[in-house]
Amino acid sequence: MIRSSESVPNAPRDPYAERILAHRGHDRVEAPRSVAVIGGGIAGIAAATGLAERGVDVTLYESQPQLGGRVRSWPLGDGRNMSRGFHAFFRQYYNLRALLRRTDPALDRLTPVADYPLQTATGLTDSFESIPRTPPLNLAAFVLNSPTFPLTGLADVDLPSAFELIDLHFPESLEKYDDESAAEFLDRLHFPDGARHLALEVFARSFFAHPDDFAARELVTMFHTYFTGSAEGLLFDVPVDDFNTSLWDPLGEYLRALGASINLETPVDDLHPRDGAWQVTTSQGTSTFDAVVLAADPRTSRELIAGLDADSASVAHLQDRTARRRNAPPFAILRLWLSDTVNADRPAFLGTSGYTVLDNISVLERFEATAAE
């Protein structure tokens, strides 16, 4: 939900942002209803919050010791914390920021990162700090200032393909990209070779996909979201402390205050529909619910859906769809604890391209309180 800038601190600035209301449904559930939410990542927390706020009896199951899913953090036992690396919260993430406002109305637990330069193995570096926030001025300024996107390359760009990045309608426009890879789309666009890392490798890795497997529809969607579909700009915020201290633990307490039950370190072993209800089995036993929200990772979702009895075409179709989903490729986080602060001229976040397995370097002491301490 987007509210006006007069009533909300840190409100969206895009004057063309359109507020689209979901189907109203019920402000409160009139009869007792119980729902199991499987998965305690962002999707699971958001679903549990929306349901619990309307009086639904929510039980959330999370296999890890903390909420947050892929964006969780966990203690190392000596005062330090670990996580799965750097995650940014762009200003156009309206729904996510509305969720965070449940426990942080002014978003004081987020702080901006002024720039996130992208450095290639050739030594060239692109910066977003001085780029205007409103399209198409942002695109024009970026091309004029980018050392990796030469002006001479504009002469070869295929204009009809380029306009596809601007004139995009969800979800109808995306059908045209079925079976086309991001690399094939950039070939059709005649995108400059020196700048392909900006549109392919960086976007793909940011969304946990190998560049060779990145789909054109995902590339076009991301490009539109960040460059041409919003006047929020390319800047983002990060938590002022580790993810769970800043974000997920407060939301967990918020859910408990609403009456929700949160079961950590409780993976769901089996899921079964029976007599118009759902049976959810964990190591604690089997419980029955009116409905289930499946917000688990792809592997867990596949296993649970594969275990359903394929007694209807809809279940068989769902099993077929989930069977074709793959988990993102594995990645590693190397976190170094140094004897002194990092030099001030180093950026807080540096994206890279062409350095084999290296994706980015983050200086967490700049914004994470526990790391600084």
Side-chain angles (χ1 to χ4, degrees):
M1 181 181 69
I2 303 172
R3 293 177 285 178
S4 67
S5 58
E6 290 78 18
S7 62
V8 178
N10 234 343
R13 67 173 291 277
D14 190 338
Y16 299 104
E18 182 179 354
R19 181 179 177 182
I20 302 175
L21 295 177
H23 186 276
R24 179 122 186 116
H26 299 285
D27 290 329
R28 299 285 297 176
V29 175
E30 299 173 0
R33 290 290 185 269
S34 61
V35 176
V37 177
I38 303 175
I42 296 177
I45 294 173
T49 299
L51 291 167
E53 288 176 339
R54 287 159 177 79
V56 175
D57 182 9
V58 174
T59 300
L60 188 150
Y61 296 101
E62 168 55 46
S63 61
Q64 298 297 327
Q66 299 85 20
L67 294 173
R70 201 161 202 162
V71 197
R72 71 184 177 100
S73 60
W74 58 93
L76 298 179
D78 56 2
R80 298 179 295 166
N81 290 299
M82 188 60 188
S83 68
R84 284 192 173 91
F86 184 90
H87 295 273
F89 298 80
F90 281 84
R91 307 282 169 84
Q92 54 267 59
Y93 291 178
Y94 298 139
N95 292 339
L96 175 58
R97 294 166 80 91
L99 175 65
L100 299 180
R101 290 186 195 277
R102 271 20 181 241
T103 62
D104 184 17
L107 296 182
D108 291 327
R109 293 197 289 267
L110 294 180
T111 187
V113 172
D115 193 17
Y116 51 105
L118 301 173
Q119 181 173 310
T120 68
T122 62
L124 298 177
T125 302
D126 284 292
S127 171
F128 298 96
E129 186 172 18
S130 59
I131 302 300
R133 296 167 70 174
T134 304
L137 297 178
N138 56 355
L139 278 175
F142 180 75
V143 171
L144 288 173
N145 291 280
S146 172
T148 61
F149 200 118
L151 288 176
T152 54
L154 291 177
D156 298 325
V157 168
D158 180 70
L159 290 180
S161 298
F163 280 120
E164 293 176 20
L165 298 171
I166 301 173
D167 186 24
L168 190 63
H169 301 278
F170 293 95
E172 299 84 5
S173 297
L174 298 181
E175 294 179 358
K176 70 175 67 174
Y177 302 107
D178 287 346
D179 301 321
E180 184 178 24
S181 70
E184 290 168 337
F185 173 78
L186 292 178
D187 290 339
R188 176 161 60 85
L189 182 63
H190 298 158
F191 206 76
D193 289 338
R196 288 176 76 96
H197 71 284
L198 291 171
L200 180 56
E201 186 170 335
V202 171
F203 269 137
R205 288 187 174 183
S206 295
F207 289 86
F208 305 103
H210 192 282
D212 293 341
D213 296 330
F214 203 41
R217 61 191 302 156
E218 296 296 333
L219 174 66
V220 172
T221 299
M222 294 303 106
F223 193 94
H224 183 82
T225 299
Y226 295 106
F227 282 92
T228 62
S230 169
E232 297 296 343
L234 298 171
L235 303 181
F236 53 64
D237 303 306
V238 295
V240 297
D241 208 338
D242 68 273
F243 297 119
N244 279 74
T245 298
S246 296
L247 309 177
W248 315 130
D249 289 349
L251 279 170
E253 292 305 312
Y254 176 76
L255 281 170
R256 291 186 180 96
L258 292 173
S261 173
I262 299 178
N263 299 280
L264 301 175
E265 298 184 90
T266 310
V268 172
D269 300 319
D270 195 34
L271 181 64
H272 262 331
R274 179 163 296 177
D275 300 328
W278 287 87
Q279 291 187 334
V280 176
T281 301
T282 70
S283 59
Q284 300 174 357
T286 299
S287 301
T288 302
F289 299 91
D290 295 314
V292 169
V293 174
L294 186 54
D297 65 279
R299 181 177 291 108
T300 300
S301 298
R302 280 197 305 270
E303 293 173 352
L304 291 175
I305 292 173
L308 298 176
D309 293 330
D311 54 359
S312 68
S314 60
V315 172
H317 177 65
L318 181 61
Q319 290 175 331
D320 178 65
R321 288 182 59 192
T322 54
R324 288 186 278 112
R325 294 181 65 192
R326 292 179 292 167
N327 280 60
F331 60 94
I333 304 297
L334 174 65
R335 188 160 183 177
L336 305 176
W337 298 88
L338 309 178
S339 60
D340 201 351
T341 57
V342 173
N343 288 346
D345 61 339
R346 299 285 186 180
F349 175 79
L350 177 70
T352 68
S353 176
Y355 290 89
T356 60
V357 298
L358 180 63
D359 178 75
N360 69 78
I361 301 173
S362 310
V363 184
L364 297 186
E365 71 199 37
R366 302 281 177 80
F367 44 82
E368 188 179 295
T370 303
E373 182 181 356

